[in-house]
Amino acid sequence: MNEPVHLYDQISRNKRNSILLMISAIALLAAVGYVFGTYYGSPVSGMLSASGFAAFYLLISWFAGDKIVLTQSGAREIGPNEEQVLHNIVESLAIGLGIPVPRLYLIDDTAPNAFATGRDPKHASVA
């Protein structure tokens, strides 16, 4: 019989996998930079340039990824006086879980859909 997977185990695994993915992306781009650098006569500078670009891009993704996703989806933040029932439900859930209340966003679309974004509970958003 399968043993149940605990939430905190999943969170730890996701964080570990995210870090491995970022390191892999930097390594892959460094290898591509090395190949292009070799072709143009300077493999080390090609590798360093590609690694720097990858690190810069990943930092932007890490710190602004949630804002980018919310902007691209056309989400607008719901004020404290709007959708009071939704605010109450989310606040109750956050208190029960012992986490900060996430910011709430609304996407004006006919398709029923929802998502959560953010790098940690302090920077979380629900749309």
Side-chain angles (χ1 to χ4, degrees):
M1 181 182 250
N2 291 340
E3 193 171 317
V5 179
H6 298 284
L7 177 64
Y8 294 108
D9 293 335
Q10 288 179 335
I11 291 170
S12 295
R13 186 173 48 240
N14 286 343
K15 286 181 181 180
R16 186 175 49 253
N17 288 344
S18 294
I19 290 169
L20 288 172
L21 181 63
M22 288 189 282
I23 291 170
S24 299
I26 291 172
L28 177 64
L29 286 175
V32 170
Y34 182 83
V35 169
F36 275 99
T38 301
Y39 181 76
Y40 289 106
S42 180
V44 174
S45 81
M47 183 178 68
L48 291 176
S49 297
S51 298
F53 171 76
F56 177 72
Y57 179 75
L58 289 171
L59 283 173
I60 289 174
S61 296
W62 181 259
F63 288 106
D66 56 338
K67 294 170 191 68
I68 293 168
V69 169
L70 290 166
T71 300
Q72 287 180 340
S73 64
R76 71 168 180 83
E77 189 165 6
I78 300 173
N81 297 328
E82 298 178 87
E83 303 291 340
Q84 197 59 46
V85 173
L86 180 61
H87 277 283
N88 291 342
I89 292 170
V90 172
E91 184 176 356
S92 297
L93 289 169
I95 290 170
L97 292 170
I99 61 172
V101 178
R103 295 180 11 201
L104 297 176
Y105 289 82
L106 180 68
I107 301 172
D108 189 21
D109 195 347
T110 57
N113 201 354
F115 65 89
T117 184
R119 66 182 180 272
D120 59 32
K122 293 178 186 174
H123 299 94
S125 300
V126 176

